Amino acid sequence: MLTILFDGVAYGMLLFVLAIGLSVTLGLMNFINLAHGAFAMAGGYVTVLLMRHYGVPFLLCVPIAFVVTAAMGAVLERILYRAMYDKPALDQVLFSIGLAFIAVTIVDYSIGSSEQIIQLPQWLRGRTELVFGDHVLAMGHYRLLIIAVCIALTFVLQYILTRTRFGSRLRAAVDDQRVADGLGINVNVIFLSTFAVGSGLAGVGGALGSEVLGLDPTFPFKFMIYFLIVVAIGGTSSLSGPLLASLILGIADVTGKYYMPKLGSFIVYAVMIVILLWRPEGLFVKRGAR
Amino acid sequence: MKKRHFLRTALSVLALAATGVHAPQVLAAEKPFKVGLIVPMTGAFASTGRQLYSAVQAFTKEHGDTVAGRKVQVILKDDGGIAANSRKLAQELIVNDKVDVIAGFGLTPITLAVAPIATESKTPMVLMAAQTQANTEASPFMVRSSGTITQVTSGIAQWAVDNGIKTAVTLVPDYAPGYESEEAFKKYFLASGGKILDEIRVPMRNPDFAPFLQRVRDVKPDALFVMLPSGPGAALLKQYGQRGLAEAGIKLIGHGAITDDDNLNEAGDAALGVITSDYYATSHDSELNRKFIDLYKSVDSTSRPNFFGVAGYDGMRLIYEALKATDGKGEGMALVDAMKTLSFESPRGPVRVDPESRDFVQNIYMRKVEKVGDEYQNVEFDVIENVNAAGEKK
Amino acid sequence: MTTITVQDVLHRRARLRPWEPLLWLAPFLVVAAFPGTSFLINQMAIMAVFAISLDLVLGYTGIMSLGHAAFFGMGAFAAGLFAKFVMPEPIVGLLFAMGVGGLTAFLCSFTILRGSELTVVMVTLGVSLILLEIGNYMTWLTGGADGLQGIMMGPVLGVFPFTFDGVTAAYYSLAILLVFLFICRRIVGSPFGNSLRAIRDNRLRAAAIGIDTHRRIVMGYTLAGAVAAAAGAVQTHSMSFVSLEAFSFEKSADVLLMVVIGGTGWLYGGVMGAVVFSGLHHVLSDLTPQYWTFWVGLFLVILMRVGRDRLIRPWTWFKTGGSHD
């Protein structure tokens, strides 16, 4: 039971890192980016390729994945996304779906459609067991790593948002873009860097997740629904919202599969619909937010 | 404004309709023999399609494209692994392209959807992949060149019983081949006095095996029997290792699909020591097999043939031999009847078509994953000879 | 001078143009002349009906649905089960399927009334995925991954049997398409249809002038669900087969593309989009079986970048700026 909880938390934290970029992008630019999963996939494939062909150690691959996908995000934001901000939601959705299609087929064409497998370093493959009376808590080292990295990232993000100039400018732009612009905040730069960081985080999530979630060209669409659920439930105006939403989702999914394997993903969708019906604006909405 | 739209609509309808029109064929001296190959070249099962297509190409490269005076033409169609597409493609191939044989079929749902079409149009159907036993009953025109799940599972189930495994948990995917594999394993295992502690069915699109494997660990059987298609199979192998199931004394045994030769090198160390049964291993020690592997690699250098590859190769062999046996005139049931009489040496070992089930009677090998030189191989260490589609020794 | 009322304007817009029946006759002639096209035309007709139903929701009511396949699937399975267990006659089965689809849409409509755009997208997507999972779970009913086997269709109206070459199916689906095209034209031209447009353009304002927005949306959505179910039923009838792909996200995405390509907010747009999309798919699948999705993706990116409404006005492709709608 405890182990399942642990696994659920790990899964949830992974979802958080994957989805937070999407949440911020949506909150900031009001842009529904369904291609977010493609950035995650890119991070995963960068890791696989580096490890397999250049023997780069796994731990190094993760920050490299961040940098590469952030760069990709920055470039795409500038040349493609920026023109789409004022377009209606339908156009944005279809545009991002189109991007995702392109990404998926490019990967399929160049690397192939089979699932990519990475070999973790030996020290990440073990597990530690703690016994509390009747209950055993078995913590896989890899999942411990995921939780550790994600917690660290959360603190970093929180710090940036609340303690830095950039963070306050970002929050200003999220609250009211026009006024922020009027105050002399360079909204374009904020958009660019936020998008880049969001994509970079997705890349990190993809790199970390390829071991646990499986990596193949269908990744963006397989997990898109999970990211969207996190954002829809957690809202787009805070960090804690998506964090809690991811944790709920991760734990629900893993526990559901343990106790009722036949129902599988059904539980996740049902939870989502129930929550959205109860609170259509998401669980954690600031007063007056969009 | 509306008129422009009308014109455009009308023109586009006509233009697109014209794409369906085929120019009348120049009559050749002998009508070409057309094979409609329907396989998943895209989508989740693309690796199956590519194996089949590469193997078919390897065969025609080796044996040429003229048989008994007729030119053989293979028409490739991608169904994306979706049954509705395959059905439509089969109908189009038969009605519009007038193919003489339809072949391929990567999955059971696809096979079942296309079977009635084969029957209604009296077209021979060579099933090269989908392994659910009941498939061949769906049409009297169907002959299979791969193997059945029951056939393959009987091997490992028997091995389990012979090697002191008393309790087991089964883990299969939540679709027909999964159920069949679970059935087959249970049949042999329970009949010999074993006990099944839990039967886990994993949802098809499943990212994470953690909860399921945790369940297995909590139940503590002697062995975990797994049947999964190769992609998820490799993921399971890794997580099995990480979750410490081997240390807990739970042996991992399975249907050959989990150590699919196509993917085995990627699974790497996690797969070492896993024992499975199947009708073909790339490591099979025969001259014919080595030739086949070289031929396959000359068509597709990025992979090596697996159990689907050899089935594609042998499937073409069935077609060619049947055509030869009927002097190039075979069609419909006559061709199928000719196939039912065939037996030959395949890269996998000796095979014989069982006229009743229209499946191969073949050897099932017990294999263990070992590192041989640079590659990981399923090394055969035992064989059960002449197993038929129902898993019985004939 | 006679006074022209609002009603006159609306009626004029909705009236049948003289060339329309000719247009409707064209595909029948194509099938008659080139029977090899029957499979493709059948496919186009089915997707056209589906596209019309999505357009009712998206183009006319302004609700962005990423899960419209939910109703297509419900109709497809209802028709299949009806044919298998109750009566193999297709028209009766079609009506049954429409009832099932309409009921499903009715129940689901309450989930889309509130919430932001994102919420609506999520909920519609979620509903279709849940139905997919439920279908997957109830294998005894749906056949699961194998699909529903053993459907034997009876002759249409007891007279026209479904032939192997697909010609009857093509005529059948074309006829259904025409019926719905006609009916939907009347509906969107009616005051009800116009009130939906008002809701699409500005829901708050529509409510302010006294339109019961919730009720209208529910009605519109239910209607669209019934039409989508009809499309699903026709697919099942044409193929004597149905499987869970009828609920898939790909199906929802495909029909969304068709409506967008053809242009939202006018029924022929859905039809055109279905024709163009299916036709392109047919041609490109043969040329590049593996990379159809690449071209679709590229097309989407370019189209959205350039501006959706510019597609049907090719003279604006090379003009910069100025063409606002």
Side-chain angles (χ1 to χ4, degrees):
Chain A
M1 181 59 213
L2 283 180
T3 314
I4 288 297
L5 211 59
F6 173 79
D7 287 335
V9 168
Y11 189 40
M13 301 258 20
L14 191 58
L15 277 182
F16 173 68
V17 171
L18 282 166
I20 188 64
L22 185 61
S23 162
V24 176
T25 314
L26 185 58
L28 178 62
M29 283 105 87
N30 213 23
F31 188 96
I32 304 177
N33 180 20
L34 292 182
H36 189 75
F39 290 104
M41 177 176 75
Y45 274 99
V46 161
T47 309
V48 168
L49 289 174
L50 284 178
M51 283 184 73
R52 200 179 289 166
H53 294 296
Y54 298 102
V56 179
F58 177 71
L59 277 190
L60 193 54
C61 286
V62 177
I64 294 182
F66 177 84
V67 170
V68 171
T69 38
M72 267 197 251
V75 168
L76 285 174
E77 198 275 344
R78 187 67 192 82
I79 62 178
L80 282 181
Y81 279 88
R82 190 167 289 188
M84 300 293 303
Y85 291 146
D86 294 323
K87 300 264 168 105
L90 178 61
D91 291 38
Q92 292 176 350
V93 166
L94 288 174
F95 169 79
S96 54
I97 289 183
L99 266 187
F101 276 169
I102 294 180
V104 165
T105 38
I106 288 182
V107 167
D108 199 355
Y109 180 71
S110 48
I111 304 184
S113 63
S114 51
E115 194 160 314
Q116 300 299 326
I117 304 181
I118 56 172
Q119 305 293 346
L120 291 176
Q122 203 53 38
W123 60 276
L124 277 177
R125 294 193 212 178
R127 60 210 304 268
T128 308
E129 290 196 5
L130 300 173
V131 187
F132 303 102
D134 263 349
H135 301 286
V136 179
L137 172 61
M139 303 184 289
H141 290 167
Y142 188 67
R143 285 187 167 76
L144 271 173
L145 177 73
I146 291 180
I147 295 184
V149 169
C150 296
I151 290 184
L153 278 174
T154 314
F155 277 118
V156 168
L157 285 175
Q158 184 69 10
Y159 181 82
I160 292 181
L161 270 186
T162 51
R163 295 291 176 84
T164 65
R165 284 275 272 286
F166 176 78
S168 50
R169 289 201 188 117
L170 175 59
R171 280 181 291 134
V174 172
D175 277 346
D176 194 325
Q177 193 185 318
R178 213 187 278 168
V179 172
D181 207 11
L183 286 177
I185 295 178
N186 189 338
V187 176
N188 276 343
V189 166
I190 299 215
F191 279 15
L192 181 78
S193 32
T194 311
F195 192 85
V197 170
S199 313
L201 285 175
V204 167
L208 288 176
S210 51
E211 170 72 18
V212 170
L213 302 174
L215 182 67
D216 63 50
T218 64
F219 186 91
F221 292 109
K222 244 196 313 187
F223 291 101
M224 181 180 69
I225 177 78
Y226 287 99
F227 307 153
L228 291 176
I229 293 178
V230 167
V231 171
I233 296 181
T236 59
S237 45
S238 65
L239 271 188
S240 49
L243 179 61
L244 257 139
S246 319
L247 285 174
I248 292 178
L249 219 63
I251 296 177
D253 191 57
V254 171
T255 353
K257 286 194 181 139
Y258 181 81
Y259 288 108
M260 295 173 284
K262 282 220 81 158
L263 288 182
S265 345
F266 178 69
I267 295 193
V268 163
Y269 303 140
V271 167
M272 172 189 88
I273 292 204
V274 164
I275 292 184
L276 282 178
L277 282 180
W278 174 40
R279 294 276 188 87
E281 302 295 331
L283 278 178
F284 309 93
V285 183
K286 268 209 312 249
R287 198 175 19 93
R290 265 188 292 236
Chain B
M1 238 260 280
K2 285 282 173 76
K3 202 186 258 180
R4 237 175 245 134
H5 292 151
F6 148 65
L7 277 175
R8 217 173 300 130
T9 316
L11 279 172
S12 47
V13 167
L14 287 172
L16 289 158
T19 62
V21 177
H22 298 267
Q25 303 234 284
V26 176
L27 286 165
E30 271 280 15
K31 234 176 38 137
F33 184 84
K34 298 195 207 163
V35 176
L37 188 64
I38 303 176
V39 291
M41 296 295 286
T42 54
F45 301 97
S47 60
T48 306
R50 285 179 205 178
Q51 282 272 340
L52 289 178
Y53 186 49
S54 304
V56 165
Q57 285 179 299
F59 187 88
T60 47
K61 185 170 172 186
E62 187 187 8
H63 295 269
D65 59 2
T66 312
V67 184
R70 291 182 71 177
K71 200 151 159 48
V72 174
Q73 213 187 333
V74 174
I75 306 178
L76 171 70
K77 293 282 182 187
D78 170 25
D79 62 11
I82 296 178
N85 291 352
S86 330
R87 198 180 161 107
K88 187 165 82 84
L89 288 168
Q91 263 184 304
E92 287 177 359
L93 281 169
I94 294 174
V95 172
N96 291 347
D97 298 281
K98 306 216 186 338
V99 297
D100 300 280
V101 171
I102 48 177
F105 314 110
L107 297 168
T108 298
I110 292 176
T111 315
L112 294 177
V114 174
I117 299 197
T119 313
E120 198 179 333
S121 63
K122 302 204 193 349
T123 312
M125 181 172 164
V126 178
L127 173 59
M128 294 172 172
Q131 296 186 31
T132 307
Q133 191 189 342
N135 284 345
T136 41
E137 290 164 30
S139 169
F141 287 85
M142 196 189 316
V143 181
R144 176 167 21 201
S145 66
S146 52
T148 75
I149 305 241
T150 322
Q151 194 176 34
V152 169
T153 310
S154 66
I156 190 74
Q158 196 136 344
W159 183 91
V161 168
D162 291 342
N163 281 271
I165 295 184
K166 299 265 181 314
T167 57
V169 169
T170 59
L171 190 142
V172 299
D174 207 352
Y175 73 145
Y179 308 150
E180 190 167 281
S181 166
E182 184 191 89
E183 274 296 309
F185 186 79
K186 272 166 65 176
K187 192 168 93 168
Y188 292 103
F189 196 64
L190 294 175
S192 319
K195 265 183 60 153
I196 305 269
L197 299 179
D198 201 358
E199 299 166 26
I200 301 180
R201 290 179 175 182
V202 172
M204 275 292 279
R205 287 163 291 123
N206 179 54
D208 190 10
F209 289 102
F212 306 110
L213 286 176
Q214 187 55 37
R215 232 178 125 105
V216 174
R217 187 134 202 280
D218 292 341
V219 163
K220 286 206 223 319
D222 290 334
L224 170 64
F225 167 74
V226 177
M227 184 267 164
L228 280 172
S230 58
L236 179 105
L237 290 177
K238 274 195 310 175
Q239 296 189 20
Y240 168 84
Q242 283 173 5
R243 205 149 277 267
L245 284 149
E247 286 84 60
I250 305 176
K251 216 163 168 34
L252 181 61
I253 59 178
H255 180 285
I258 64 172
T259 53
D260 186 345
D261 286 311
D262 196 38
N263 226 344
L264 193 55
N265 282 325
E266 270 87 56
D269 284 340
L272 282 176
V274 174
I275 299 189
T276 58
S277 60
D278 214 325
Y279 60 82
Y280 176 71
T282 317
S283 70
H284 183 69
D285 192 8
S286 80
E287 197 45 54
L288 189 58
N289 190 31
R290 282 186 275 277
K291 254 184 44 185
F292 168 58
I293 295 175
D294 286 337
L295 200 55
Y296 183 92
K297 287 200 173 158
S298 74
V299 171
D300 178 7
S301 57
T302 64
S303 65
R304 53 186 190 181
N306 68 359
F307 45 85
F308 286 139
V310 78
Y313 186 78
D314 288 335
M316 284 308 281
R317 179 108 184 240
L318 283 177
I319 296 175
Y320 272 46
E321 297 292 330
L323 201 52
K324 268 190 250 175
T326 56
D327 276 332
K329 294 195 206 28
E331 57 171 19
M333 195 43 99
L335 203 63
V336 177
D337 286 334
M339 288 188 201
K340 289 194 221 171
T341 63
L342 294 176
S343 77
F344 51 85
E345 183 76 22
S346 146
R348 68 183 98 172
V351 294
R352 171 170 49 98
V353 178
D354 179 350
E356 273 170 40
S357 68
R358 286 163 278 109
D359 268 301
F360 274 158
V361 174
Q362 56 191 334
N363 294 350
I364 297 296
Y365 303 92
M366 297 304 309
R367 323 91 60 86
K368 189 170 183 186
V369 178
E370 290 169 19
K371 191 152 187 200
V372 177
D374 266 341
E375 302 200 335
Y376 291 85
Q377 298 275 12
N378 288 297
V379 176
E380 298 168 349
F381 62 86
D382 204 356
V383 59
I384 307 175
E385 294 185 340
N386 298 328
V387 182
N388 74 357
E392 299 148 2
K393 286 217 264 276
K394 272 299 176 88
Chain C
M1 199 183 81
T2 50
T3 42
I4 300 179
T5 62
V6 172
Q7 271 198 312
D8 290 336
V9 174
L10 291 182
H11 279 168
R12 203 179 305 153
R13 257 207 264 167
R15 211 172 27 216
L16 226 49
R17 299 288 187 291
W19 45 261
E20 283 189 57
L22 285 174
L23 175 61
W24 297 353
L25 199 51
F28 284 93
L29 294 176
V30 169
V31 176
F34 307 107
T37 61
S38 62
F39 298 113
L40 183 59
I41 300 239
N42 178 247
Q43 170 84 346
M44 287 180 179
I46 291 173
M47 292 314 277
V49 176
F50 193 24
I52 288 177
S53 101
L54 180 62
D55 204 15
L56 286 175
V57 165
L58 177 65
Y60 286 95
T61 322
I63 294 177
M64 198 157 89
S65 168
L66 210 55
H68 209 57
F71 312 117
F72 184 90
M74 287 303 284
F77 273 96
L81 290 167
F82 188 84
K84 191 169 171 191
F85 294 116
V86 181
M87 190 201 294
E89 204 279 321
I91 303 288
V92 182
L94 181 69
L95 294 171
F96 174 72
M98 285 178 66
V100 171
L103 181 63
T104 315
F106 178 75
L107 292 172
C108 292
S109 62
F110 298 105
T111 62
I112 54 159
L113 288 175
R114 307 192 292 164
S116 67
E117 230 153 22
L118 176 62
T119 317
V120 170
V121 167
M122 293 305 310
V123 170
T124 51
L125 181 58
V127 166
S128 73
L129 288 176
I130 284 200
L131 284 175
L132 180 62
E133 290 296 322
I134 293 181
N136 210 9
Y137 181 63
M138 298 168 72
T139 359
W140 54 273
L141 187 66
T142 61
D146 288 347
L148 199 59
Q149 305 290 332
I151 301 176
M152 307 294 288
M153 291 311 306
V156 180
L157 296 173
V159 179
F160 308 103
F162 282 101
T163 52
F164 190 72
D165 61 3
V167 170
T168 316
Y171 286 142
Y172 172 56
S173 52
L174 282 172
I176 299 292
L177 170 61
L178 288 186
V179 167
F180 279 115
L181 202 53
F182 186 73
I183 294 179
C184 289
R185 266 174 126 281
R186 300 301 293 221
I187 290 179
V188 302
S190 72
F192 171 71
N194 281 290
S195 70
L196 287 181
R197 282 207 202 103
I199 294 176
R200 170 197 69 191
D201 288 337
N202 191 326
R203 200 181 287 196
L204 194 56
R205 199 190 324 156
I209 63 173
I211 295 179
D212 186 342
T213 54
H214 281 194
R215 217 168 80 122
R216 304 278 169 134
I217 291 178
V218 168
M219 278 174 68
Y221 203 67
T222 307
L223 176 67
V227 177
V234 173
Q235 179 174 285
T236 305
H237 293 156
S238 308
M239 300 205 311
S240 297
F241 178 74
V242 57
S243 71
L244 289 171
E245 61 87 36
F247 281 111
S248 65
F249 170 70
E250 282 78 21
K251 206 136 204 110
S252 296
D254 280 351
V255 72
L256 187 56
L257 285 191
M258 291 176 200
V259 172
V260 166
I261 292 176
T264 55
W266 67 295
L267 293 178
Y268 279 113
V271 177
M272 246 188 74
V275 168
V276 169
F277 188 84
S278 304
L280 278 177
H281 187 119
H282 185 82
V283 169
L284 284 180
S285 292
D286 276 353
L287 293 178
T288 59
Q290 298 172 276
Y291 306 113
W292 158 250
T293 24
F294 177 78
W295 298 109
V296 171
L298 192 61
F299 173 74
L300 275 178
V301 171
I302 294 179
L303 179 64
M304 293 305 137
R305 192 70 182 67
V306 159
R308 220 180 342 130
D309 42 328
R310 287 208 192 164
L311 177 69
I312 53 176
R313 291 182 292 173
W315 57 93
T316 57
W317 287 359
F318 299 105
K319 244 204 281 182
T320 38
S323 48
H324 292 286
D325 222 48

